[in-house]
Amino acid sequence: MKYCNTLIAVKDMPAALRFYKDLFDQEVITDLGWCKVLSCGLTLQEHFDEIAGFPAESMRYRSNTMELYFETEDFDAFQTLLDAHPEVERLHEAREFPWLQRGIRLFDPDGHLIEVSESMYTVACRQFDAGKDPEETAALIQHPLPVVQAWHARYQEASRRLHMSVCGTDCSVCACYGELCPGCHACSGKVFHAPEGSACAIYDCVVNTKGLKDCGACSALPCPIWMQTRDPSFSDAEFEKNIRTRIQTLKSSKD
């Protein structure tokens, strides 16, 4: 036995399809005439009373006993989209729940209740950004600690990749990172130590010339350009260690 999907009855299929397309970016993946399956798995069914054998007058479209639940990584963007559709009825405006998640409830054209909230991972990341550790975050957002710890590891990995340059250097540990240099991704390789107006030789090669994401995708790693752009403050041993560390960082970022 397995659970397959959720079916809701609709009175006007074109209106329902427009609603789920415009607000939730849903497409029809299976079209069975009166029955259409959307890309999220939700099934819309016209003439449900006839198919199921219900008297038409017994159909209830605003039961308020269940809801369809959607999550978004960008709740503010969804609010902006929703504001562009003033015809959509809302049960309540956006609010922050006790577990610090922001959400809003609204009705589809047939009166089915829908909740749209930001993902709990996004909520957790907001706490991590504020300096909260997993234990504090778990208590604040009312989620199991192992779940929050897994989110924290994901958050740290995302942060590490955000600060990693194309050559595998962790920009966040550099004293110049920030005001003097935003990192090679942010300035298209025109870092502070490159000739004015030009990109770093490594960035220019791997991104501008070869069109790769980083040096980890290049078969020539480590190449002569790496050797020619050595930090003069490094000893031979330090430079060899630096090369090994950067290669390992690039390899791990592909996992």
Side-chain angles (χ1 to χ4, degrees):
M1 179 69 70
K2 68 175 182 178
Y3 176 79
C4 293
N5 62 6
T6 297
L7 179 149
I8 59 174
V10 302
K11 292 174 285 188
D12 184 338
M13 183 65 79
L17 290 176
R18 283 195 301 272
F19 174 86
Y20 285 100
K21 167 65 176 176
D22 292 348
L23 268 73
F24 299 97
D25 199 27
Q26 294 298 301
E27 301 288 350
V28 175
I29 59 170
T30 305
D31 190 337
L32 302 174
W34 287 355
C35 177
K36 301 186 192 301
V37 181
L38 304 182
S39 46
C40 67
L42 179 66
T43 299
L44 308 182
Q45 179 71 63
E46 277 187 307
H47 307 288
F48 186 57
D49 55 320
E50 296 179 37
I51 294 171
F54 294 130
E57 63 274 13
S58 73
M59 298 292 288
R60 299 289 182 268
Y61 286 92
R62 297 177 68 93
S63 66
N64 292 340
T65 57
M66 59 87 69
E67 71 175 15
L68 302 176
Y69 179 72
F70 290 83
E71 282 191 348
T72 175
E73 300 297 329
D74 192 340
F75 186 71
D76 293 327
F78 178 77
Q79 282 192 280
T80 300
L81 175 62
L82 182 59
D83 288 341
H85 291 271
E87 76 281 3
V88 176
E89 182 184 355
R90 308 181 189 192
L91 176 64
H92 62 72
E93 295 299 327
R95 63 175 61 162
E96 184 176 275
F97 304 118
W99 47 94
L100 305 185
Q101 181 188 38
R102 294 180 297 160
I104 190 169
R105 289 186 172 88
L106 49 107
F107 295 97
D108 79 357
D110 293 286
H112 298 296
L113 183 61
I114 298 174
E115 176 184 343
V116 180
S117 291
E118 58 186 342
S119 74
M120 287 307 299
Y121 173 68
T122 300
V123 177
C125 286
R126 193 158 56 242
Q127 305 311 308
F128 301 149
D129 286 342
K132 301 290 193 302
D133 62 26
E135 288 74 16
E136 293 173 299
T137 299
L140 286 169
I141 69 174
Q142 302 175 26
H143 267 57
L145 179 58
V147 172
V148 177
Q149 288 173 325
W151 285 342
H152 189 250
R154 176 181 165 190
Y155 168 84
Q156 288 182 311
E157 176 61 16
S159 297
R160 184 183 68 80
R161 296 190 183 196
L162 178 66
H163 298 305
M164 187 185 75
S165 72
V166 297
C167 66
T169 298
D170 181 359
C171 294
S172 65
V173 301
C174 176
C176 301
Y177 186 58
E179 294 185 6
L180 180 58
C181 180
C184 66
H185 294 291
C187 65
S188 299
K190 297 176 182 178
V191 291
F192 74 100
H193 56 77
E196 186 174 355
S198 300
C200 159
I202 296 177
Y203 186 97
D204 193 44
C205 172
V206 71
V207 178
N208 296 337
T209 301
K210 296 182 178 178
L212 301 177
K213 179 175 69 75
D214 57 47
C215 293
C218 180
S219 60
L221 181 71
C223 69
I225 300 178
W226 274 39
M227 305 305 167
Q228 295 161 8
T229 53
R230 168 179 174 169
D231 185 333
S233 67
F234 282 159
S235 66
D236 290 344
E238 289 172 333
F239 185 56
E240 289 178 9
K241 180 180 179 181
N242 174 263
I243 291 288
R244 290 195 301 271
T245 299
R246 288 156 61 190
I247 291 175
Q248 182 58 46
T249 297
L250 289 165
K251 287 182 178 179
S252 65
S253 70
K254 296 169 62 177
D255 298 336

